Amino acid sequence: MHLSVVGLFFALFTLTCAQISSINYGRIVQNLSPQDPSQKMCYGVVFDAGSSGTRVYVYKWECRKTSSTPRLQVSEQIPEKSIRGGISKFSSNPNAAGPSLIELINFAKGIVPSEQLSWTPIFLRATAGMRLITPDQQAAILDSIRKTFRESGFRFEDEGWARVITGQEEGAYGWVASNYLHDLIKKQVDGTKTRAMMECGGASLQITFVQPQDPPKNKININFPDINQYVLYTHSYLGYGQDQARNEVIKASIVNPNDDTVISPCYNKNFNSTNVFSGNPNLRVIGSGDATKCAALIKDYMKLDPACKDCSIGGNYYPGIPEGMSIDGLGSFVFVNQFYNFTDSFSANALFARVNDFCSSEWSSVQRDHKVDEFLSTRCFSGIYVSQLLTSAFRVDPDTAISARSKIKDVTVVWTLGSMLFDMSTLRCSPGTEDCIYDDDRYKKALLYTFISVLSFAIVVVVLTVIIVAVRRRQRQRMYNRV
Ligand SMILES: *[C@@H]1O[C@H](CO)[C@@H](O)[C@H](O)[C@H]1NC(C)=O
Ligand SMILES: *[C@@H]1O[C@H](CO)[C@@H](O)[C@H](O)[C@H]1NC(C)=O
């Protein structure tokens, strides 16, 4: 009778303990298995707040095991969506800046699984348009955006998660994006084997590359702790994006400040329109379509110093792109590559030949021959500008091919990719959160639980054995006593 009750308890204990330890054991096995088929994906959201619009990108990667650089999934298209008008336009009405982004936040919410929102980081990085307004205006706009982000359901921890980045950061992130997509950001690849990056936006221009010797100026360190680190030369020229440069070059052709008409060699022959020059919408611009004259005006605007060998635009330090290094172009480079019918790459010489032809064409026939293109009138200038950036500003051999692809495989080459990689590699996997499923601390905890279960199981076994032995002895004693 006594014996059977004890036996039942023993069986129950054994079962419970076995169950507890098998759960933990299962977790550990799952956590240690390198190719878990149900590998969970983690997400990150980054907003590119540019001068003419805001675009959101949703990147994803296999959830990290430790605090390391995530491996972004770049085998498929990255979801993106944009709205027109830069956030800097809210300078007189800053409280509307945050709510203006809700449409894009909702787009991101449609991609990230809802149970993962609270640990999915959301970043906003603003560029040239915001650099041009006052610090007070910037702060008011960013405060409104931070408030909206905090209420969005995404993970938004620090003011720095929504901020204006410097031109150097923008250049460095663009460099990372392109080299990452070319599979050159890794341990085995020496920095000198990476590619140089030129990016020409609307308001600013960036150039970035690894220099064999540390550059004395314009140096930026990019460190991916578990991969590699790079010393980059990078410079951002505010005012040398194609829209700002075009306006300055038109201005240079104005003979008398009171003139209501200007003749510009940077527009197609017999182009004739107002609403072209941002300094005065009423100014009538007449095109003369002379690429060589336009190139000379651009060179003047670049304020090059022929006596300085290590200088570029405005006399700024520029060491030259190392010989043999491949060059990528983004922004205007991509638009020019497409418009002038090149496939993926072009040289300054080949570009200038086509541009020369195009600019000297009559505006009326150009309009007839091209499908609707809201930037058609600026194509002549941008072609000349890009060719002059290459040959005059950055002294690239005029026959060197510049690669100008907007996408590599299916992924848009854009600095946000570099920014996301860099921000995530500096963001620790914090114990107790889900963004780091293989976190070391959790693994240690699982080990501890197993150890405790096994230990308690052993204690129970010992205790029960002692009890059983004691009970049996007593039974035997009773039998003796009866006998
Ligand atoms: C440009 O257009 C305006 C308005 O249509 C016209 O009056 C003017 O004569 C034109 N100028 C040239 C040089 O074609
Ligand atoms: C590019 O090719 C298209 C189609 O053949 C042609 O219509 C267009 O004029 C070309 N563009 C230039 C700038 O040569």
Side-chain angles (χ1 to χ4, degrees), residues 430-447:
S430 26
T433 63
E434 298 287 347
D435 57 344
C436 194
I437 54 163
Y438 288 16
D439 184 79
D440 271 340
D441 291 20
R442 302 186 78 204
Y443 167 57
K444 278 179 205 149
K445 263 187 219 159
L447 262 189

PDB file of all heavy atoms in Angstrom, residues 430-447:
ATOM      1  N   SER A 430      20.203  43.521 -27.432  1.00  0.00           N
ATOM      2  CA  SER A 430      20.004  43.660 -25.994  1.00  0.00           C
ATOM      3  C   SER A 430      19.289  42.441 -25.444  1.00  0.00           C
ATOM      4  O   SER A 430      18.280  42.012 -25.982  1.00  0.00           O
ATOM      5  CB  SER A 430      19.224  44.934 -25.694  1.00  0.00           C
ATOM      6  OG  SER A 430      18.427  45.276 -26.792  1.00  0.00           O
ATOM      7  N   PRO A 431      19.852  41.849 -24.351  1.00  0.00           N
ATOM      8  CA  PRO A 431      19.261  40.645 -23.763  1.00  0.00           C
ATOM      9  C   PRO A 431      17.801  40.910 -23.404  1.00  0.00           C
ATOM     10  O   PRO A 431      17.470  41.999 -22.960  1.00  0.00           O
ATOM     11  CB  PRO A 431      20.085  40.400 -22.504  1.00  0.00           C
ATOM     12  CG  PRO A 431      21.319  41.213 -22.667  1.00  0.00           C
ATOM     13  CD  PRO A 431      21.004  42.326 -23.593  1.00  0.00           C
ATOM     14  N   GLY A 432      16.968  39.917 -23.621  1.00  0.00           N
ATOM     15  CA  GLY A 432      15.567  40.069 -23.252  1.00  0.00           C
ATOM     16  C   GLY A 432      14.739  40.640 -24.385  1.00  0.00           C
ATOM     17  O   GLY A 432      13.526  40.632 -24.324  1.00  0.00           O
ATOM     18  N   THR A 433      15.370  41.158 -25.449  1.00  0.00           N
ATOM     19  CA  THR A 433      14.575  41.591 -26.591  1.00  0.00           C
ATOM     20  C   THR A 433      14.662  40.515 -27.665  1.00  0.00           C
ATOM     21  O   THR A 433      15.516  39.645 -27.621  1.00  0.00           O
ATOM     22  CB  THR A 433      15.063  42.927 -27.174  1.00  0.00           C
ATOM     23  OG1 THR A 433      16.384  42.752 -27.650  1.00  0.00           O
ATOM     24  CG2 THR A 433      15.020  44.031 -26.137  1.00  0.00           C
ATOM     25  N   GLU A 434      13.790  40.636 -28.627  1.00  0.00           N
ATOM     26  CA  GLU A 434      13.653  39.556 -29.599  1.00  0.00           C
ATOM     27  C   GLU A 434      14.466  39.801 -30.868  1.00  0.00           C
ATOM     28  O   GLU A 434      14.475  38.981 -31.765  1.00  0.00           O
ATOM     29  CB  GLU A 434      12.174  39.403 -29.984  1.00  0.00           C
ATOM     30  CG  GLU A 434      11.273  39.037 -28.818  1.00  0.00           C
ATOM     31  CD  GLU A 434      11.464  37.592 -28.383  1.00  0.00           C
ATOM     32  OE1 GLU A 434      12.099  36.831 -29.115  1.00  0.00           O
ATOM     33  OE2 GLU A 434      10.953  37.250 -27.302  1.00  0.00           O
ATOM     34  N   ASP A 435      15.134  40.982 -30.946  1.00  0.00           N
ATOM     35  CA  ASP A 435      15.814  41.280 -32.203  1.00  0.00           C
ATOM     36  C   ASP A 435      17.122  40.517 -32.330  1.00  0.00           C
ATOM     37  O   ASP A 435      17.843  40.646 -33.288  1.00  0.00           O
ATOM     38  CB  ASP A 435      16.068  42.789 -32.327  1.00  0.00           C
ATOM     39  CG  ASP A 435      16.863  43.329 -31.150  1.00  0.00           C
ATOM     40  OD1 ASP A 435      16.949  42.616 -30.133  1.00  0.00           O
ATOM     41  OD2 ASP A 435      17.379  44.438 -31.255  1.00  0.00           O
ATOM     42  N   CYS A 436      17.441  39.718 -31.340  1.00  0.00           N
ATOM     43  CA  CYS A 436      18.719  39.034 -31.326  1.00  0.00           C
ATOM     44  C   CYS A 436      18.469  37.646 -30.781  1.00  0.00           C
ATOM     45  O   CYS A 436      18.799  37.338 -29.651  1.00  0.00           O
ATOM     46  CB  CYS A 436      19.661  39.822 -30.424  1.00  0.00           C
ATOM     47  SG  CYS A 436      21.353  39.362 -30.590  1.00  0.00           S
ATOM     48  N   ILE A 437      17.844  36.787 -31.587  1.00  0.00           N
ATOM     49  CA  ILE A 437      17.316  35.538 -31.050  1.00  0.00           C
ATOM     50  C   ILE A 437      18.392  34.618 -30.522  1.00  0.00           C
ATOM     51  O   ILE A 437      18.113  33.774 -29.702  1.00  0.00           O
ATOM     52  CB  ILE A 437      16.460  34.767 -32.078  1.00  0.00           C
ATOM     53  CG1 ILE A 437      17.258  34.554 -33.350  1.00  0.00           C
ATOM     54  CG2 ILE A 437      15.146  35.447 -32.331  1.00  0.00           C
ATOM     55  CD1 ILE A 437      16.656  33.471 -34.215  1.00  0.00           C
ATOM     56  N   TYR A 438      19.615  34.746 -30.998  1.00  0.00           N
ATOM     57  CA  TYR A 438      20.652  33.837 -30.551  1.00  0.00           C
ATOM     58  C   TYR A 438      21.550  34.517 -29.535  1.00  0.00           C
ATOM     59  O   TYR A 438      22.708  34.211 -29.408  1.00  0.00           O
ATOM     60  CB  TYR A 438      21.493  33.380 -31.733  1.00  0.00           C
ATOM     61  CG  TYR A 438      20.802  32.432 -32.650  1.00  0.00           C
ATOM     62  CD1 TYR A 438      19.437  32.264 -32.612  1.00  0.00           C
ATOM     63  CD2 TYR A 438      21.508  31.694 -33.566  1.00  0.00           C
ATOM     64  CE1 TYR A 438      18.799  31.397 -33.461  1.00  0.00           C
ATOM     65  CE2 TYR A 438      20.891  30.824 -34.427  1.00  0.00           C
ATOM     66  CZ  TYR A 438      19.519  30.676 -34.365  1.00  0.00           C
ATOM     67  OH  TYR A 438      18.903  29.815 -35.217  1.00  0.00           O
ATOM     68  N   ASP A 439      20.974  35.477 -28.859  1.00  0.00           N
ATOM     69  CA  ASP A 439      21.772  36.264 -27.916  1.00  0.00           C
ATOM     70  C   ASP A 439      22.502  35.384 -26.910  1.00  0.00           C
ATOM     71  O   ASP A 439      21.950  34.420 -26.392  1.00  0.00           O
ATOM     72  CB  ASP A 439      20.830  37.217 -27.177  1.00  0.00           C
ATOM     73  CG  ASP A 439      21.592  38.126 -26.263  1.00  0.00           C
ATOM     74  OD1 ASP A 439      22.168  39.096 -26.744  1.00  0.00           O
ATOM     75  OD2 ASP A 439      21.621  37.821 -25.069  1.00  0.00           O
ATOM     76  N   ASP A 440      23.762  35.709 -26.660  1.00  0.00           N
ATOM     77  CA  ASP A 440      24.604  34.935 -25.748  1.00  0.00           C
ATOM     78  C   ASP A 440      23.974  34.748 -24.376  1.00  0.00           C
ATOM     79  O   ASP A 440      23.971  33.669 -23.817  1.00  0.00           O
ATOM     80  CB  ASP A 440      25.936  35.660 -25.549  1.00  0.00           C
ATOM     81  CG  ASP A 440      26.936  35.211 -26.609  1.00  0.00           C
ATOM     82  OD1 ASP A 440      26.702  34.130 -27.187  1.00  0.00           O
ATOM     83  OD2 ASP A 440      27.905  35.924 -26.821  1.00  0.00           O
ATOM     84  N   ASP A 441      23.390  35.843 -23.854  1.00  0.00           N
ATOM     85  CA  ASP A 441      22.807  35.786 -22.506  1.00  0.00           C
ATOM     86  C   ASP A 441      21.654  34.799 -22.451  1.00  0.00           C
ATOM     87  O   ASP A 441      21.492  34.073 -21.483  1.00  0.00           O
ATOM     88  CB  ASP A 441      22.302  37.167 -22.102  1.00  0.00           C
ATOM     89  CG  ASP A 441      23.446  38.123 -21.893  1.00  0.00           C
ATOM     90  OD1 ASP A 441      24.541  37.836 -22.411  1.00  0.00           O
ATOM     91  OD2 ASP A 441      23.264  39.129 -21.234  1.00  0.00           O
ATOM     92  N   ARG A 442      20.857  34.788 -23.521  1.00  0.00           N
ATOM     93  CA  ARG A 442      19.714  33.869 -23.523  1.00  0.00           C
ATOM     94  C   ARG A 442      20.220  32.435 -23.574  1.00  0.00           C
ATOM     95  O   ARG A 442      19.683  31.542 -22.942  1.00  0.00           O
ATOM     96  CB  ARG A 442      18.806  34.158 -24.718  1.00  0.00           C
ATOM     97  CG  ARG A 442      18.303  35.583 -24.712  1.00  0.00           C
ATOM     98  CD  ARG A 442      17.314  35.801 -25.811  1.00  0.00           C
ATOM     99  NE  ARG A 442      16.017  35.269 -25.473  1.00  0.00           N
ATOM    100  CZ  ARG A 442      15.123  34.907 -26.372  1.00  0.00           C
ATOM    101  NH1 ARG A 442      15.397  35.004 -27.641  1.00  0.00           N
ATOM    102  NH2 ARG A 442      13.957  34.466 -26.013  1.00  0.00           N
ATOM    103  N   TYR A 443      21.278  32.217 -24.340  1.00  0.00           N
ATOM    104  CA  TYR A 443      21.855  30.878 -24.438  1.00  0.00           C
ATOM    105  C   TYR A 443      22.348  30.434 -23.070  1.00  0.00           C
ATOM    106  O   TYR A 443      22.096  29.311 -22.626  1.00  0.00           O
ATOM    107  CB  TYR A 443      22.987  30.908 -25.458  1.00  0.00           C
ATOM    108  CG  TYR A 443      23.860  29.690 -25.439  1.00  0.00           C
ATOM    109  CD1 TYR A 443      23.320  28.419 -25.617  1.00  0.00           C
ATOM    110  CD2 TYR A 443      25.224  29.804 -25.223  1.00  0.00           C
ATOM    111  CE1 TYR A 443      24.111  27.298 -25.585  1.00  0.00           C
ATOM    112  CE2 TYR A 443      26.023  28.685 -25.191  1.00  0.00           C
ATOM    113  CZ  TYR A 443      25.468  27.435 -25.362  1.00  0.00           C
ATOM    114  OH  TYR A 443      26.252  26.326 -25.313  1.00  0.00           O
ATOM    115  N   LYS A 444      23.009  31.366 -22.332  1.00  0.00           N
ATOM    116  CA  LYS A 444      23.508  31.031 -20.996  1.00  0.00           C
ATOM    117  C   LYS A 444      22.344  30.719 -20.062  1.00  0.00           C
ATOM    118  O   LYS A 444      22.391  29.797 -19.264  1.00  0.00           O
ATOM    119  CB  LYS A 444      24.326  32.195 -20.439  1.00  0.00           C
ATOM    120  CG  LYS A 444      25.747  32.201 -20.965  1.00  0.00           C
ATOM    121  CD  LYS A 444      26.520  33.382 -20.396  1.00  0.00           C
ATOM    122  CE  LYS A 444      27.667  33.765 -21.324  1.00  0.00           C
ATOM    123  NZ  LYS A 444      27.948  35.191 -21.255  1.00  0.00           N
ATOM    124  N   LYS A 445      21.264  31.513 -20.196  1.00  0.00           N
ATOM    125  CA  LYS A 445      20.082  31.279 -19.352  1.00  0.00           C
ATOM    126  C   LYS A 445      19.517  29.892 -19.613  1.00  0.00           C
ATOM    127  O   LYS A 445      19.183  29.158 -18.689  1.00  0.00           O
ATOM    128  CB  LYS A 445      19.018  32.332 -19.665  1.00  0.00           C
ATOM    129  CG  LYS A 445      19.044  33.503 -18.693  1.00  0.00           C
ATOM    130  CD  LYS A 445      17.864  34.416 -18.961  1.00  0.00           C
ATOM    131  CE  LYS A 445      18.289  35.859 -18.817  1.00  0.00           C
ATOM    132  NZ  LYS A 445      17.396  36.774 -19.510  1.00  0.00           N
ATOM    133  N   ALA A 446      19.414  29.517 -20.893  1.00  0.00           N
ATOM    134  CA  ALA A 446      18.866  28.214 -21.244  1.00  0.00           C
ATOM    135  C   ALA A 446      19.722  27.101 -20.645  1.00  0.00           C
ATOM    136  O   ALA A 446      19.210  26.130 -20.100  1.00  0.00           O
ATOM    137  CB  ALA A 446      18.793  28.082 -22.763  1.00  0.00           C
ATOM    138  N   LEU A 447      21.045  27.290 -20.714  1.00  0.00           N
ATOM    139  CA  LEU A 447      21.954  26.303 -20.119  1.00  0.00           C
ATOM    140  C   LEU A 447      21.716  26.174 -18.624  1.00  0.00           C
ATOM    141  O   LEU A 447      21.650  25.084 -18.071  1.00  0.00           O
ATOM    142  CB  LEU A 447      23.405  26.745 -20.339  1.00  0.00           C
ATOM    143  CG  LEU A 447      24.161  26.119 -21.499  1.00  0.00           C
ATOM    144  CD1 LEU A 447      25.636  26.510 -21.427  1.00  0.00           C
ATOM    145  CD2 LEU A 447      24.041  24.592 -21.473  1.00  0.00           C
TER     146      LEU A 447
END
